[in-house]
């Protein structure tokens, strides 16, 4: 009898390992490069159905906030709008961020996570960030980066038109929270160090995605080819490029090249 049980356990775990090992290996190989995000989204699709991704980086005093990832699967522009709105000051009214941030700072070696149902939020905050964009619950992870001592707030959202996260999905997200955090934090660390012109663009205040797109613009890519390469919408590429140009005070590719040469 014990032999039968042992055989079933091995088969089950082998299937689990086979399902996640290749997407995980693909993510690790792509850390620090633009191909990381499509592979990361593919890996997350094995864990839970997610309609929106948001990752924010906060200083140790939580006075400075930076968006590291804003991606709405169906409506890319909406993800950018929600991120901008959140960074304008609404993050200070996010009760889950405050709670998880306090917890992880007490035990910084281990990420903490929690499932949030939008009905538990204050009405104004709930309407702005859940009802208007048609989102229901979110699964949040707070993790501390040992190198920079920064707090990372990782959010996965389920669309309001779908059923909430299932118990199985929540369990998988909880069990994978350390792995998810490690992948993202290592990727952000590599991006922060910069490769090629990205290092200078990041130092000028651009986000990783904005720097990525500017680097591809300099390499001769169009909005269409950038969208295909990064697997995002062409309108999102244009939006990122416009924001980057505004931050840098340039108006076209020639200005961007001149700025980097200086």
């Amino acid at each position: 009898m014990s032999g039968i049980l042992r055989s079933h356990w091995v088969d089950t775990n082998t299937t689990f390992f086979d399902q996640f090992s290749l997407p995980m290996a693909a993510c690790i190989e792509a850390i620090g490069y633009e191909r990381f995000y499509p592979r990361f989204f593919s890996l997350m699709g094995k864990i839970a159905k997610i309609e929106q991704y948001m990752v924010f980086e906060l200083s140790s005093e939580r006075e400075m906030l930076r968006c590291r990832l804003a991606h709405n699967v169906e409506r890319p522009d909406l993800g950018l709008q929600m991120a901008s709105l959140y960074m304008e000051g609404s993050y200070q009214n996010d009760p889950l961020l405050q709670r998880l941030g306090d917890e992880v700072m007490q035990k910084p070696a281990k990420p903490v996570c929690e499932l949030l149902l939008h009905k538990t939020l204050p009405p104004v905050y709930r309407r702005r960030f859940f009802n208007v964009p048609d989102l229901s619950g979110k699964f949040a992870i707070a993790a501390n980066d040992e190198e920079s001592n920064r707090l990372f707030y990782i959010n996965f959202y389920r669309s309001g038109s779908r059923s909430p996260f299932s118990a199985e999905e929540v369990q998988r997200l909880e069990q994978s929270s350390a792995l998810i955090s490690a992948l993202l934090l290592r990727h952000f660390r590599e991006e922060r160090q910069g490769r090629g012109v990205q290092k200078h663009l990041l130092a000028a205040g651009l986000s990783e995605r904005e720097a990525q797109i500017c680097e591809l613009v300099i390499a001769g890519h169009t909005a269409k080819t950038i969208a295909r390469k990064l697997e995002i919408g062409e309108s999102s590429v244009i939006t990122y490029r416009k924001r980057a140009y505004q931050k840098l005070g340039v108006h076209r590719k020639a200005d961007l090249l001149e700025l980097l040469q200086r």
Side-chain angles (χ1 to χ4, degrees):
M1 182 70 177
S2 60
I4 296 174
L5 290 174
R6 182 178 181 277
S7 175
H8 175 72
W9 185 88
V10 170
D11 289 343
T12 300
N13 283 272
T14 299
T15 301
F16 178 86
F17 179 79
D18 290 342
Q19 183 180 5
F20 288 92
S21 61
L22 288 179
M24 192 186 309
C27 279
I28 293 171
E29 187 278 332
I31 285 175
Y33 295 93
E34 67 269 10
R35 58 182 178 272
F36 171 80
Y37 287 114
R39 296 182 183 187
F40 177 72
F41 298 147
S42 176
L43 173 65
M44 292 306 303
K46 305 287 185 182
I47 299 173
K49 177 65 178 176
I50 298 168
E51 274 80 30
Q52 182 168 284
Y53 299 78
M54 290 282 181
V55 182
F56 298 95
E57 176 185 356
L58 295 94
S59 62
S60 56
E61 300 82 13
R62 301 184 207 171
E63 295 176 352
M64 296 179 60
L65 181 73
R66 183 180 185 186
C67 180
R68 303 304 297 261
L69 174 62
H71 177 59
N72 185 292
V73 176
E74 297 296 331
R75 301 168 61 190
D77 291 343
L78 178 62
L80 297 176
Q81 292 171 13
M82 291 295 100
S84 297
L85 187 63
Y86 188 76
M87 293 173 65
E88 286 175 359
S90 295
Y91 73 94
Q92 296 173 338
N93 300 318
D94 185 344
L96 187 57
L97 168 60
Q98 304 304 324
R99 185 163 66 252
L100 294 185
D102 291 342
E103 287 184 32
V104 80
M105 287 306 170
Q106 292 175 5
K107 298 180 179 179
K110 182 181 178 181
V112 296
C113 55
E114 184 175 327
L115 174 70
L116 175 73
L117 298 178
H118 73 290
K119 293 181 179 179
T120 63
L121 292 167
V124 175
Y125 188 92
R126 180 172 70 237
R127 180 180 180 278
R128 177 175 295 176
F129 290 101
F130 287 85
N131 295 355
V132 172
D134 189 29
L135 299 170
S136 54
K138 79 171 178 179
F139 187 89
I141 303 172
N144 178 64
D145 180 21
E146 293 179 342
E147 184 175 287
S148 64
N149 198 32
R150 299 260 175 145
L151 173 67
F152 284 83
Y153 188 43
I154 305 163
N155 299 280
F156 304 122
Y157 296 82
R158 176 60 62 83
S159 170
S161 59
R162 294 182 182 272
S163 58
F165 286 111
S166 67
E168 184 180 1
E169 287 178 315
V170 172
Q171 184 180 34
R172 288 200 296 262
L173 286 165
E174 289 175 345
Q175 293 173 344
S176 306
S177 61
L179 169 64
I180 294 168
S181 302
L183 285 171
L184 286 171
L185 266 60
R186 181 57 185 271
H187 176 67
F188 296 146
R189 195 177 301 161
E190 291 293 321
E191 284 190 326
R192 188 162 53 239
Q193 292 174 354
R195 286 187 169 87
V197 300
Q198 283 196 35
K199 180 177 181 180
H200 302 287
L201 294 168
L202 292 170
L206 268 61
S207 70
E208 276 71 19
R209 183 63 94 185
E210 291 164 353
Q212 249 178 17
I213 287 172
C214 283
E215 185 177 36
L216 291 171
V217 167
I218 293 168
H221 287 277
T222 64
K224 187 174 184 178
T225 60
I226 292 173
R228 189 183 306 118
K229 186 176 180 65
L230 301 184
E231 298 185 13
I232 61 176
E234 188 173 345
S235 60
S236 294
V237 173
I238 294 171
T239 300
Y240 278 120
R241 186 178 62 191
K242 181 179 179 181
R243 283 170 47 184
Y245 282 11
Q246 288 175 342
K247 289 180 180 180
L248 296 172
V250 300
H251 301 284
R252 57 185 186 275
K253 178 181 174 181
D255 296 336
L256 179 62
L257 285 168
E258 182 182 351
L259 176 67
L260 289 171
Q261 287 172 355
R262 293 202 305 266

